[in-house]
Amino acid sequence: MSQQTSQQLESYCTFRVDDLLFGVEVCQVQEVIRTHPTTSVPLAPAVVHGLMNLRGQIVSALNLRYVLGMPPSQSERKPMNVVVRSQEGPISLLVDEIGDVVQVDRDRFEPLPETLQRQQREMLTGAFKLDGKLLLILDIERVLAIPV
């Protein structure tokens, strides 16, 4: 692979929420964890699913479905965790399913489709067309800036 080609590739950690495929830049992801127990926080806003103990560190778990204006999951499967880095420390985003790390050519970055809800559009920066699916790029700073 030539150096020019490798400079145009970006890596994204992917995950699903409902039937949408989302991605976060790999450099923003601390780790991905399957189901992890959380403790609910009385009187916390709906976006805060709870707190989890991650090897002695207390991490807030945010309900990404709520952030994106989606209905609660009807599945009996427990949510999975994408732990992202923030200035305040790690934050877990609860997702339906963990995907793969994909590399995409940044030249294929596109504006968001008009069919997305306004609340979803506000949390995204753009999209990439992959084989038969659309990868929506989550803006972690906007997600974490939600008033809680």
Side-chain angles (χ1 to χ4, degrees), residues 41-50 61-68 70 72 94 119 146-148:
V41 180
L43 305 175
V47 69
V48 178
H49 181 77
L62 302 184
N63 183 338
L64 199 53
R65 283 179 162 276
Y66 182 85
V67 171
L68 297 169
M70 296 176 162
L94 297 180
Q119 191 170 349
I146 291 179
V148 292

Side-chain angles (χ1 to χ4, degrees), residues 20 35 39 57 79 94 100 105 127-128 134:
L20 298 177
T35 303
T39 302
Q57 186 172 26
L94 297 180
D100 296 320
D105 186 335
F128 291 98
L134 194 61

